[in-house]
Amino acid sequence: MTYPRMLRIKQHFEGPCVEDIPATVEAQLASLQLGEKIKPGETVAITAGSRGIANIAVIIKAAVDHIKSLGAVPFIVPAMGSHGGGTPEGQRDIVEGYGITEDYTGAEIRSSMETVIVDKTPQGIPVHFDKHAYDADHVLVCGRVKPHTGFVGEIESGLLKMMLIGLGKHAGAKIYHRAILDYSFGEIITAVADSVLDKCGIVAGLAIVENAYDQTALLAAVAPENFVSREKELLKQAKQWMPRLPFDKVGLLIIDEIGKDISGSGMDTNVIGRKYSDHCATDKDDVSVKRIFVRGLTYETHGNACGLGLAEFTNSRTVQSVDQNITTINSLTGGHPSAAMIPVHYDSDREVLDAALPTTGLADAPDARVIHISNTLHVGEVLVSEAYLAEIESRDDLEIIDGPSEIQFDANGNLAAVAEQPVGV
């Protein structure tokens, strides 16, 4: 087969960035005057999630330092639903893998899957809450605000979801995802959040918003009574700054790596345009991608291939790296069993391209519209096929770095990664 020639291009996004993270965290938390609520000697649980948030270890450490400055005793709670195989050890490993260790932060990590049922929502749903966090005098909820990969609303993924799914642990995440099949996400998240804010000692939130370059763009300390209103504002900002593909019509999207550290769905459906349907774009999506080829998993995902089922193609080495048990637990807990399914796969990348390109439409392979990215968090520099050349030349937000040049395969018939050292390829 003759393959399309590829160009390396750079996208220019709006990219505000927090320069001094510890100082910003300190200033934000200080603005809430938490010393009026947190007394010396009291315990404060600080949440740490499973996403690959930029600078997360630095952010958590800065929060720990502020709590210590009040004379209180902070500790860290993994807040990640069923991730890590739904085990305390697995969740602790994820946290420590991000550099959030006891030695670095100066705070104990207390990891458990045990929950306390603190209430029942108006829909009759039991409200689960991490026992370690519940036993603390106060809870500081730390999390990234961004568009959710499956739900749409004024509130999607952020502080409220961290209280709902993250601190609900496996038991809570499982029942909430089941409830979302009968009720709207907005109904469930609002009902559970009301109970948690009333009964679980939430003292503050620390919201993180990132830019399209996977950098910390904004840090905001939020008082509990302002969680809903502030998160709505931050979600609008996050949508404006989020990464995106350079073109909205794609025949074949090649992704070097997916993983839970990249997105809850392995690859961000807001980026690839499959938020409403696993294998096709809808009129609600901004992007239309006909076929997806996943080349590997990130190291940090620890074999959790949740989201692989959104792709039509992969390679055999990716299939062999899947921890089916962890993947199945997470996909079923999230009410998305198809996310764990295995796509069509071949031993080499060349064989995948030979099979995939003819399924993208009438265009001959050399004229196919192909985009090759590292992952859905890092799309600042990507490879695109020559079919996009005229459009690139008409836009001032795109810069050609190199090419066009022929696709290169190694001795095993595999592609080179977009970045020199992607995590999982």
Side-chain angles (χ1 to χ4, degrees):
M1 178 179 287
T2 303
Y3 305 102
R5 297 198 303 170
M6 305 294 285
L7 303 102
R8 182 177 292 270
I9 67 169
K10 179 180 290 185
Q11 299 199 76
H12 296 285
F13 298 113
E14 180 183 1
C17 187
V18 177
E19 296 296 334
D20 190 335
I21 290 172
T24 304
V25 171
E26 171 60 28
Q28 283 291 314
L29 291 176
S31 71
L32 297 183
Q33 299 179 317
L34 296 179
E36 295 179 1
K37 297 180 179 179
I38 301 173
K39 304 307 178 187
E42 292 184 335
T43 55
V44 180
I46 301 174
T47 67
S50 56
R51 301 291 183 258
I53 300 172
N55 305 305
I56 188 60
V58 177
I59 293 168
I60 294 293
K61 183 181 187 308
V64 166
D65 290 344
H66 181 76
I67 298 303
K68 285 184 174 180
S69 74
L70 303 178
V73 181
F75 65 90
I76 295 165
V77 172
M80 53 188 74
S82 65
H83 302 172
T87 68
E89 299 79 15
Q91 297 204 344
R92 184 186 180 106
D93 286 346
I94 290 173
V95 167
E96 292 180 334
Y98 292 142
I100 307 171
T101 64
E102 294 182 344
D103 285 344
Y104 176 71
T105 62
E108 180 186 358
I109 298 172
R110 301 181 187 177
S111 183
S112 169
M113 300 308 294
E114 187 177 357
T115 63
V116 175
I117 297 176
V118 300
D119 200 1
K120 186 173 285 189
T121 71
Q123 298 87 355
I125 302 163
V127 177
H128 289 262
F129 199 75
D130 179 275
K131 187 175 187 305
H132 286 308
Y134 186 74
D135 288 342
D137 294 304
H138 307 279
V139 179
L140 171 58
V141 182
C142 180
R144 179 174 58 193
V145 177
K146 67 185 293 291
H148 195 277
T149 57
F151 306 122
V152 179
E154 292 183 295
I155 294 173
E156 296 187 19
S157 186
L159 301 178
L160 297 185
K161 180 173 174 285
M162 179 66 80
M163 295 192 303
L164 178 87
I165 305 295
L167 286 168
K169 311 301 284 194
H170 190 182
K174 183 163 55 178
I175 190 66
Y176 302 147
H177 279 108
R178 288 176 59 192
I180 289 165
L181 298 174
D182 291 331
Y183 300 93
S184 73
F185 180 64
E187 287 178 289
I188 300 304
I189 199 168
T190 301
V192 174
D194 285 347
S195 292
V196 171
L197 288 169
D198 182 50
K199 300 178 181 297
C200 296
I202 307 297
V203 72
L206 181 59
I208 305 161
V209 180
E210 295 182 338
N211 62 32
Y213 298 105
D214 189 32
Q215 298 167 329
T216 308
L218 185 152
L219 293 163
V222 186
E225 61 271 20
N226 297 328
F227 270 26
V228 172
S229 60
R230 188 69 173 117
E231 191 163 323
K232 289 178 180 179
E233 296 171 351
L234 293 173
L235 179 60
K236 292 178 182 178
Q237 187 64 79
K239 288 179 177 179
Q240 180 180 333
W241 288 340
M242 72 178 297
R244 59 185 179 272
L245 297 177
F247 308 104
D248 58 12
K249 301 292 184 184
V250 187
L252 175 63
L253 177 63
I254 304 170
I255 305 178
D256 283 335
E257 56 183 6
I258 68 169
K260 296 299 291 188
D261 53 313
I262 302 297
S263 172
S265 56
M267 44 185 154
D268 193 333
T269 57
N270 296 285
V271 175
I272 64 173
R274 296 192 174 183
K275 187 165 184 171
Y276 304 91
S277 179
D278 282 0
H279 292 286
C280 66
T282 70
D283 57 5
K284 298 178 183 179
D285 290 298
D286 296 326
V287 179
S288 175
V289 175
K290 291 182 180 177
R291 299 287 183 261
I292 296 177
F293 165 27
V294 171
R295 298 185 58 240
L297 306 181
T298 65
Y299 172 78
E300 285 89 347
T301 202
H302 299 287
N304 187 337
C306 182
L308 184 60
L310 276 66
E312 287 77 30
F313 295 93
T314 189
N315 49 45
S316 299
R317 65 184 182 277
T318 299
V319 174
Q320 292 163 6
S321 68
V322 174
D323 185 316
Q324 200 62 57
N325 181 57
I326 288 176
T327 302
T328 300
I329 289 173
N330 191 207
S331 297
L332 293 180
T333 300
H336 192 186
S338 59
M341 293 180 179
I342 302 298
V344 173
H345 54 96
Y346 295 88
D347 287 342
S348 70
D349 293 351
R350 183 192 291 272
E351 291 173 283
V352 174
L353 291 187
D354 290 348
L357 285 170
T359 73
T360 62
L362 289 173
D364 293 331
D367 301 318
R369 298 170 76 86
V370 179
I371 299 180
H372 183 179
I373 66 175
S374 293
N375 54 59
T376 55
L377 266 183
H378 302 100
V379 295
E381 190 170 306
V382 304
L383 300 175
V384 303
S385 62
E386 199 171 9
Y388 292 109
L389 181 57
E391 190 171 348
I392 295 170
E393 292 174 339
S394 70
R395 288 170 51 179
D396 58 11
D397 63 321
L398 301 178
E399 174 189 351
I400 297 176
I401 299 174
D402 189 27
S405 57
E406 304 293 335
I407 289 178
Q408 300 295 315
F409 299 95
D410 65 16
N412 295 316
N414 295 322
L415 296 167
V418 173
E420 289 185 5
Q421 293 182 324
V423 178
V425 178

